[in-house]
Coordinates of all heavy atoms in Angstrom, one line a residue:
W195 N 32.3 28.8 6.1 CA 32.6 28.2 7.4 C 32.0 26.8 7.6 O 32.7 25.9 8.1 CB 32.1 29.2 8.5 CG 32.3 28.6 9.9 CD1 33.4 28.6 10.6 CD2 31.3 27.9 10.7 NE1 33.2 28.0 11.9 CE2 31.9 27.5 11.9 CE3 30.0 27.5 10.5 CZ2 31.3 26.8 12.9 CZ3 29.3 26.8 11.4 CH2 30.0 26.5 12.6
L196 N 30.8 26.7 7.2 CA 30.2 25.3 7.2 C 30.9 24.3 6.4 O 31.2 23.2 6.8 CB 28.7 25.4 6.8 CG 27.7 26.0 7.7 CD1 26.3 26.1 7.1 CD2 27.6 25.1 9.0
G197 N 31.3 24.7 5.1 CA 32.0 23.8 4.2 C 33.3 23.4 4.8 O 33.7 22.3 4.7
Y198 N 34.0 24.4 5.4 CA 35.4 24.1 6.0 C 35.2 23.2 7.2 O 36.0 22.3 7.4 CB 36.1 25.4 6.3 CG 37.5 25.1 6.9 CD1 38.5 24.8 6.0 CD2 37.7 25.3 8.2 CE1 39.8 24.5 6.6 CE2 39.0 25.0 8.8 CZ 40.0 24.7 7.9 OH 41.3 24.4 8.4
T199 N 34.2 23.5 8.1 CA 34.0 22.8 9.3 C 33.6 21.3 9.1 O 34.1 20.4 9.7 CB 33.0 23.5 10.2 OG1 33.4 24.8 10.4 CG2 32.8 22.7 11.5
I200 N 32.7 21.1 8.2 CA 32.1 19.8 7.9 C 33.1 19.0 7.0 O 33.3 17.8 7.2 CB 30.7 19.9 7.3 CG1 29.8 20.6 8.3 CG2 30.2 18.5 7.0 CD1 28.4 20.8 7.7
G201 N 33.5 19.7 5.9 CA 34.4 19.0 5.0 C 33.7 18.3 3.9 O 32.5 17.9 4.1
P202 N 34.3 18.0 2.8 CA 33.6 17.4 1.7 C 33.2 15.9 1.9 O 32.2 15.4 1.4 CB 34.6 17.5 0.5 CG 35.9 17.7 1.2 CD 35.7 18.4 2.4
I203 N 34.0 15.2 2.8 CA 33.7 13.8 3.0 C 32.5 13.7 3.8 O 31.5 12.9 3.4 CB 34.9 13.1 3.8 CG1 36.2 13.1 2.9 CG2 34.5 11.7 4.2 CD1 37.4 12.5 3.5
W204 N 32.3 14.4 4.9 CA 31.1 14.3 5.7 C 29.9 14.9 5.1 O 28.8 14.4 5.3 CB 31.4 14.9 7.1 CG 32.2 14.0 8.0 CD1 33.5 14.2 8.4 CD2 31.8 12.8 8.6 NE1 33.9 13.2 9.2 CE2 32.9 12.3 9.4 CE3 30.6 12.1 8.6 CZ2 32.8 11.1 10.1 CZ3 30.5 10.9 9.3 CH2 31.6 10.4 10.0
T205 N 30.2 15.9 4.2 CA 29.0 16.4 3.4 C 28.5 15.3 2.5 O 27.3 15.2 2.3 CB 29.5 17.6 2.6 OG1 30.0 18.6 3.5 CG2 28.4 18.2 1.8
S206 N 29.4 14.6 1.9 CA 29.0 13.5 1.0 C 28.3 12.4 1.7 O 27.3 11.9 1.3 CB 30.3 12.9 0.3 OG 31.0 13.8 -0.4
V207 N 28.8 12.1 2.9 CA 28.1 11.1 3.8 C 26.7 11.5 4.1 O 25.7 10.8 4.1 CB 28.9 10.8 5.0 CG1 28.1 9.9 6.0 CG2 30.2 10.1 4.7
F208 N 26.5 12.8 4.5 CA 25.2 13.3 4.9 C 24.2 13.3 3.8 O 23.1 12.7 3.9 CB 25.4 14.8 5.4 CG 24.1 15.5 5.7 CD1 23.4 15.2 6.9 CD2 23.6 16.4 4.8 CE1 22.2 15.8 7.2 CE2 22.4 17.1 5.2 CZ 21.7 16.7 6.3
F209 N 24.6 13.8 2.6 CA 23.6 13.8 1.5 C 23.5 12.4 0.9 O 22.4 12.0 0.4 CB 24.1 14.8 0.4 CG 23.8 16.2 0.7 CD1 24.8 17.0 1.3 CD2 22.5 16.7 0.5 CE1 24.5 18.3 1.6 CE2 22.2 18.0 0.8 CZ 23.2 18.8 1.4
G210 N 24.5 11.6 1.0 CA 24.3 10.2 0.6 C 23.3 9.4 1.5 O 22.5 8.6 1.0
A211 N 23.3 9.7 2.8 CA 22.3 9.1 3.7 C 20.9 9.5 3.4 O 20.0 8.7 3.4 CB 22.7 9.5 5.1
I212 N 20.8 10.8 3.0 CA 19.4 11.3 2.6 C 19.0 10.6 1.4 O 17.8 10.2 1.2 CB 19.5 12.8 2.4 CG1 19.8 13.5 3.7 CG2 18.1 13.3 1.8 CD1 19.9 15.0 3.6
G213 N 19.9 10.5 0.4 CA 19.5 9.8 -0.9 C 19.2 8.4 -0.6 O 18.2 7.8 -1.3
L214 N 19.9 7.7 0.2 CA 19.6 6.3 0.5 C 18.3 6.1 1.2 O 17.5 5.2 0.9 CB 20.7 5.7 1.4 CG 20.6 4.3 1.9 CD1 20.5 3.4 0.6 CD2 21.7 3.9 2.8
A215 N 17.9 7.1 2.1 CA 16.6 7.0 2.8 C 15.5 7.2 1.7 O 14.5 6.5 1.8 CB 16.6 8.1 3.8
I216 N 15.7 8.1 0.8 CA 14.6 8.4 -0.2 C 14.5 7.1 -1.1 O 13.4 6.7 -1.4 CB 15.0 9.6 -1.1 CG1 14.9 10.9 -0.2 CG2 14.0 9.7 -2.2 CD1 15.4 12.1 -0.9
F217 N 15.6 6.6 -1.5 CA 15.6 5.4 -2.4 C 14.9 4.2 -1.6 O 14.1 3.5 -2.2 CB 17.0 5.0 -2.8 CG 17.1 3.8 -3.7 CD1 16.8 3.9 -5.0 CD2 17.5 2.6 -3.2 CE1 16.9 2.8 -5.9 CE2 17.6 1.5 -4.0 CZ 17.3 1.6 -5.4
S218 N 15.2 4.0 -0.4 CA 14.6 2.9 0.4 C 13.1 3.1 0.5 O 12.4 2.2 0.4 CB 15.2 2.9 1.8 OG 16.6 2.7 1.7
F219 N 12.7 4.4 0.7 CA 11.3 4.7 0.8 C 10.6 4.3 -0.6 O 9.5 3.8 -0.6 CB 11.1 6.1 1.1 CG 9.6 6.6 1.2 CD1 8.8 6.0 2.2 CD2 9.1 7.4 0.3 CE1 7.4 6.4 2.2 CE2 7.8 7.8 0.3 CZ 6.9 7.3 1.3
M220 N 11.3 4.6 -1.7 CA 10.7 4.3 -3.0 C 10.5 2.8 -3.2 O 9.5 2.3 -3.7 CB 11.6 4.9 -4.1 CG 11.1 4.7 -5.5 SD 12.1 5.4 -6.8 CE 13.6 4.4 -6.7

Side-chain angles (χ1 to χ4, degrees):
W195 177 80
L196 284 174
Y198 180 76
T199 302
I200 300 175
I203 295 178
W204 283 108
T205 302
S206 302
V207 171
F208 175 74
F209 282 99
I212 294 177
L214 179 61
I216 296 173
F217 181 78
S218 300
F219 178 67
M220 182 177 68

